[in-house]
Amino acid sequence: VMVMRVIIKSSNVRQEKTQKGTVIIKQQAAMDQGRDFPLVFDLVVSEPYPAGEYILDPGSFRISQYGSLELDPYGLKLKPLSK
C-alpha cells in the first residue's frame, strides 16, 4: 500500500483576502506521490501545522454537488505520519 505523504517544511503562513472580504490563512505543503517531484499546493488552515510529515485524514474528503468524491479545500486535515 502506497502512502501519499504530505510534507510541511515550515510553519510560516500567509493571509489572503477573498473577493467577499474574508481573510483566509494558507500554508505551503507538498504531496509526495512517489514521482520525480512532489506536488506543491496551498493548504487552508486555521492554525499552522508544524514542520513534519503527515497523511491526509479521512475526514478531508466530501461528496461534490455531482456525487463525486473530492478533497474538501476548506476542510483538509492532516494526521502526523507515524514511522
Side-chain angles (χ1 to χ4, degrees):
V1 174
M2 184 176 132
V3 175
M4 287 193 268
R5 296 178 309 135
V6 176
I7 303 155
I8 304 277
K9 288 195 173 187
S10 168
S11 60
N12 292 342
V13 295
R14 69 180 189 286
Q15 294 184 357
E16 291 183 8
K17 192 178 265 191
T18 65
Q19 291 179 345
K20 294 182 180 180
T22 306
V23 175
I24 57 174
I25 301 168
K26 292 185 176 183
Q27 183 175 16
Q28 192 173 63
M31 180 171 283
D32 180 0
Q33 299 174 297
R35 297 183 179 155
D36 290 340
F37 299 98
L39 180 65
V40 178
F41 65 97
D42 287 329
L43 181 64
V44 176
V45 296
S46 54
E47 293 290 325
Y49 285 95
E53 294 183 3
Y54 298 85
I55 58 171
L56 287 176
D57 183 276
S60 298
F61 297 90
R62 68 179 185 187
I63 302 299
S64 75
Q65 64 187 21
Y66 304 107
S68 301
L69 183 66
E70 67 180 11
L71 286 170
D72 182 351
Y74 297 101
L76 200 62
K77 299 174 194 81
L78 302 178
K79 291 172 60 173
L81 181 65
S82 39
K83 295 189 175 189

